[in-house]
Amino acid sequence: MVIKILILINLIFASQFQFQADGELLEYKEDNITINKLTDNVQVFNDSLYLKTDQAYNYKEINKLHLYGNTKMISNIDTLICDSMIYWLDKDSLFAFGNVRLTQNNRKLNSDKLNFWKTNSYRGSSFIANGNVNVFDNDKMIEANLISYNDATQIMALKSGAKVTSKNRKLFGEDIQINFIDSLISFINVSGDATAHNIIKAKIQKDSDSYKDLVDIMKGNSIDVSFENDQIQKIVLDRMASAMYHALDSSLLMGVNTVDGDLINLDFQDDQ
């Protein structure tokens, strides 16, 4: 208890961050920077931020923290858990690595690495995530090797092995760009071996009560999908475009249609 009180008193910054730990406090200099090493149940906090970790190195003159082991951040409605983290106290930004899990309002993110910083725009933060990235955004699963989100433009960019899955629909491509208007998607562009799947349920035989999943397949060098009020309004297949879709009458399969061309426009009504 005495150690905990001493650390709290000696490490109050002008920025009102407070430090607390159960273990040792060691202070030393390296490259003319004063470093405080804290161990065991380390906690760093102010009115809007809480950090917890097993071991912390506080680089005092440059307001930078290195946090190692079982690291957790709570900032307003954001919660981040990872193995280790670098946090810049005066910039409200961080680099997290190792089993990164970020939870925000209506969004969850998992990745190997994450650069994350606060903004003054709609979501209050932007990020760049690397390695096995998946994002659960409302009812959509978004996946790629690299995903970035710019809160100022409300654009999310997916690079390498991009995929978006929602209900009975899937989009695949090398790269995908998603434009948001606040919490809703307004536009998606898929480029590089672009493919879209629409899964429907249909009767194969009129007298049968059983339904089978059928997949409409759309392809092109690029695919543009326009939304309004979270419903698809139009899909445009561009260059080397093809579409294979199932014709139904009251849920009964009537046949399969195919179409090819340089440009294919598909209009939707009531998201169908």
Side-chain angles (χ1 to χ4, degrees), residues 167-179:
K167 297 177 183 176
N168 59 331
R169 295 191 173 107
K170 297 180 181 180
L171 290 169
F172 309 85
E174 185 61 24
D175 300 327
I176 294 178
Q177 178 175 301
I178 304 174
N179 292 33

Side-chain angles (χ1 to χ4, degrees), residues 124-171:
S125 61
S126 297
F127 67 81
I128 301 173
N130 287 274
N132 303 307
V133 188
N134 57 69
V135 178
F136 300 88
D137 193 290
N138 290 317
D139 63 342
K140 297 171 181 62
M141 164 76 93
I142 302 169
E143 301 172 78
N145 189 55
L146 185 151
I147 298 179
S148 64
Y149 173 73
N150 185 327
D151 199 32
T153 60
Q154 293 193 303
I155 292 176
M156 182 178 287
L158 288 64
K159 302 291 184 182
S160 182
K163 179 166 65 173
V164 178
T165 305
S166 176
K167 297 177 183 176
N168 59 331
R169 295 191 173 107
K170 297 180 181 180
L171 290 169

Side-chain angles (χ1 to χ4, degrees), residues 202-207 211 247-255:
K203 292 182 180 180
I204 305 302
Q205 297 178 344
K206 184 176 182 180
D207 297 330
Y211 287 78
L248 305 182
D249 183 7
S250 299
S251 300
L252 177 65
L253 178 65
M254 304 303 294

Side-chain angles (χ1 to χ4, degrees), residues 5-143:
I5 293 172
L6 286 173
I7 293 172
L8 181 60
I9 292 173
N10 283 302
L11 296 180
I12 296 179
F13 280 156
S15 57
Q16 299 304 307
F17 279 96
Q18 298 182 10
F19 288 64
Q20 184 171 298
D22 291 342
E24 67 172 347
L25 165 63
L26 177 65
E27 182 169 292
Y28 59 95
K29 277 190 174 289
E30 188 175 282
D31 297 327
N32 294 319
I33 297 175
T34 304
I35 302 171
N36 294 124
K37 177 185 175 182
L38 300 91
T39 59
D40 298 334
N41 191 29
V42 181
Q43 300 174 67
V44 183
F45 52 92
N46 65 8
D47 291 340
S48 60
L49 176 70
Y50 175 81
L51 298 168
K52 184 177 181 181
T53 190
D54 292 339
Q55 187 175 95
Y57 291 81
N58 170 31
Y59 294 76
K60 295 179 68 174
E61 284 82 2
I62 57 176
N63 284 337
K64 183 170 72 168
L65 289 176
H66 287 209
L67 311 175
Y68 298 103
N70 299 307
T71 302
K72 183 175 185 178
M73 179 202 77
I74 300 174
S75 178
N76 298 319
I77 61 172
D78 298 340
T79 301
L80 190 151
I81 298 172
C82 61
D83 292 341
S84 300
M85 179 191 299
I86 299 172
Y87 196 98
W88 288 267
L89 294 167
D90 57 344
K91 297 179 180 178
D92 263 346
S93 64
L94 63 88
F95 172 62
F97 50 99
N99 300 308
V100 178
R101 289 177 289 164
L102 172 66
T103 302
Q104 298 178 295
N105 187 30
N106 296 323
R107 178 182 285 178
K108 294 184 179 180
L109 179 150
N110 300 300
S111 66
D112 296 335
K113 301 176 183 178
L114 176 70
N115 287 281
F116 177 90
W117 59 98
K118 292 292 186 178
T119 69
N120 294 319
S121 299
Y122 175 75
R123 289 188 180 270
S125 61
S126 297
F127 67 81
I128 301 173
N130 287 274
N132 303 307
V133 188
N134 57 69
V135 178
F136 300 88
D137 193 290
N138 290 317
D139 63 342
K140 297 171 181 62
M141 164 76 93
I142 302 169
E143 301 172 78

